[in-house]
Amino acid sequence: MQEFLQHLAGEIDKLHEAKTYKTEVALEGPQDHRVRVNGRDVVMLTSNNYLGLANHPRIRRAAIAAVEAWGAGMGSVRFICGTQTLHKQLEATISRFYETDDTILYSSCWNANEACFATLTGAEDAIVSDELNHASIIDGIRLAKAKRYVYKHNDMTDLEGKLKQARSEGARFVLAITDGVFSMEGELAPLPEIIAACERHDAALVVDDSHATGLLGARGRGTAEELGVWGKVPIHTGTLGKAMGSAMGGYVTGPRAVVETLRQRSRPYLFSNSLAPAVAGAAMEAFRMVLEDPSRTATVQANARYFRERMTAAGFRIPRGIHPIVPVIVGDTALAMAMGKDLLERGVYVSGFGFPVVPQGHARLRAQVSAAHTREDLDLAVAAFVEVAKQHGVL
Ligand SMILES: Cc1ncc(COP(=O)(O)O)c(C=O)c1O
């Protein structure tokens, strides 16, 4: 045991030496457009709370009402005694949102992605995946027995090649999977081209729209709506932990046979507790809010445009795009980390990412804009960025 613990401590030391040891900043209150850190209110510019619902009065009330009506939890998986009509209502609400046959809830989108591939495919099948897909997709694919084909990031020629190869190597069924939005860049997958390629090679397409549901498209339906191909993505996975209330939970939504197979066979569903009523109640209210009024979606989009324009005008290197994820590229990892620290000192909380999370030389501060931000919040953030960048010789 002693040797084992010494080994682990040595591995942790290596993280410190490589400056990749992660520390956590404890918020002293709720997640919102401003948060309390070390006794001070700072602009929160690094959260996935895209619609600003994490601390919204309607969402808080819905969570509390769900506890009052349904209790704290189920003490069970869904198929034994863990299904309340509340869970069925949330699944029906998500299906209404996506205009799909059915939806299955998981305790996270990580679990949803972990469930999908091993359950829906067998050893005779193929899975074709973008190289930069989220870690949960990569791990989910590792659990599957199907043959794996990884295509270069957003490279449609390589996707076409891999789909062809899967077919020529005799795959029974082919499943293609992409993030709708890639979270390090706020970059959208070219869904119209991906859909066309899947149609040409008779592949089933799964899109993980965790960073798009509620915030992209005129009605907040996500990447497919944004790119004019609404209704053409057969299977979506998504999270309840970002725009849609920011609590936790995930889902797969799509054709009845897909959802039914997952309900019967997927291990994270069969062997893990059902969503707590407070979480289900909060998520349902978030979907209702987006269904009945797309104005929050319009606000986060307008805030993203405003922040991107102001930062670009100030001279920062911002990759072109529309998403509220706004990467501010500074190059060096240590510089990104130091700037993040100084920005927090100046009242703006934004995370720095460096190698190996992003390629060498592409370290960045990743700003994330919310519908809850006021123009004052965003102006303050831009001013702090300019000040800190000048101090570090970036501007
Ligand atoms: C694309 C993508 N998929 C899945 C997840 C996991 O979501 P959850 O927090 O619901 O497990 C994330 C979260 O970072 C994500 O960005």
Side-chain angles (χ1 to χ4, degrees):
M1 181 71 187
Q2 205 50 36
E3 215 174 299
F4 174 55
L5 295 180
Q6 265 167 7
H7 162 74
L8 294 182
E11 293 298 307
I12 291 169
D13 284 346
K14 283 186 203 157
L15 295 179
H16 284 293
E17 280 158 28
K19 299 205 181 328
T20 54
Y21 185 88
K22 293 171 204 63
T23 50
E24 295 173 3
V25 174
L27 307 187
E28 292 148 9
Q31 184 69 270
D32 217 324
H33 65 124
R34 298 214 181 186
V35 296
R36 200 146 188 88
V37 178
N38 297 330
R40 227 157 47 98
D41 284 338
V42 299
V43 175
M44 169 50 81
L45 206 64
T46 198
S47 163
N48 301 310
N49 179 23
Y50 294 115
L51 294 181
L53 298 181
N55 191 36
H56 191 283
R58 271 184 70 174
I59 301 291
R60 288 168 66 125
R61 277 200 300 272
I64 293 164
V67 172
E68 297 287 0
W70 302 96
M74 299 308 297
S76 171
V77 301
R78 286 282 300 270
F79 83 95
I80 298 179
C81 56
T83 298
Q84 292 170 316
T85 47
L86 177 68
H87 296 106
K88 300 309 286 177
Q89 282 163 11
L90 175 56
E91 287 171 342
T93 304
I94 297 174
S95 305
R96 186 151 70 85
F97 183 88
Y98 281 97
E99 297 166 24
T100 45
D101 292 347
D102 203 358
T103 298
I104 176 168
L105 296 172
Y106 288 90
S107 46
S108 65
C109 186
W110 183 285
N111 271 178
N113 286 336
E114 194 176 81
C116 245
F117 308 103
T119 313
L120 297 178
T121 62
E124 322 81 321
D125 302 323
I127 300 170
V128 180
S129 172
D130 187 293
E131 66 180 343
L132 291 193
N133 275 338
H134 188 259
S136 54
I137 296 173
I138 294 170
D139 281 15
I141 293 172
R142 282 185 184 139
L143 292 173
K145 294 199 172 68
K147 200 158 174 191
R148 299 162 208 166
Y149 299 83
V150 176
Y151 63 93
K152 291 197 194 86
H153 175 53
N154 273 354
D155 182 331
M156 294 301 99
T157 310
D158 200 29
L159 168 63
E160 187 80 25
K162 293 295 189 305
L163 287 167
K164 255 191 206 148
Q165 192 186 347
R167 282 283 167 223
S168 70
E169 289 177 356
R172 179 185 58 167
F173 301 119
V174 180
L175 209 82
I177 166 78
T178 181
D179 282 12
V181 171
F182 293 87
S183 63
M184 278 300 130
E185 302 283 339
E187 180 195 23
L188 277 55
L191 288 188
E193 290 83 357
I194 293 175
I195 291 164
C198 287
E199 279 170 4
R200 275 195 296 281
H201 298 281
D202 192 22
L205 176 63
V206 183
V207 172
D208 174 345
D209 233 8
S210 289
H211 286 278
T213 308
L215 59 136
L216 291 190
R219 299 168 305 153
R221 302 299 161 95
T223 313
E225 185 183 46
E226 179 68 44
L227 297 178
V229 285
W230 177 246
K232 298 225 162 110
V233 172
I235 306 164
H236 275 100
T237 67
T239 184
L240 306 174
K242 301 192 196 295
M244 308 312 286
S246 299
M248 64 186 301
Y251 55 86
V252 180
T253 190
R256 182 152 291 112
V258 166
V259 173
E260 210 171 350
T261 304
L262 292 169
R263 234 186 261 289
Q264 292 301 316
R265 295 234 175 104
S266 66
R267 293 163 71 82
Y269 186 81
L270 293 175
F271 299 107
S272 186
N273 225 359
S274 50
L275 272 193
V279 171
M284 190 142 65
E285 188 71 353
F287 273 96
R288 279 198 191 121
M289 285 172 79
V290 177
L291 276 162
E292 74 195 31
D293 173 17
S295 69
R296 289 192 154 259
T297 301
T299 304
V300 67
Q301 292 172 3
N303 280 352
R305 265 195 307 278
Y306 180 77
F307 186 71
R308 282 173 169 275
E309 280 165 15
R310 293 287 318 274
M311 289 291 283
T312 306
F316 286 101
R317 261 174 75 197
I318 312 276
R320 279 156 64 103
I322 56 157
H323 199 274
I325 292 173
V326 185
V328 182
I329 313 289
V330 297
D332 179 63
T333 302
L335 176 62
M337 300 304 159
M339 285 179 69
K341 234 170 136 192
D342 288 344
L343 278 159
L344 188 56
E345 288 291 309
R346 280 170 178 71
V348 179
Y349 185 0
V350 59
S351 295
F353 292 93
F355 184 77
V357 178
V358 294
Q360 198 77 265
H362 288 73
R364 70 213 38 209
L365 292 138
R366 186 181 67 170
Q368 288 175 276
V369 173
S370 164
H373 284 130
T374 61
R375 290 292 149 103
E376 193 193 344
D377 294 330
L378 298 176
D379 290 343
L380 191 151
V382 175
F385 259 104
V386 169
E387 226 179 281
V388 169
K390 283 190 174 151
Q391 181 193 325
H392 286 272
V394 171
L395 280 184

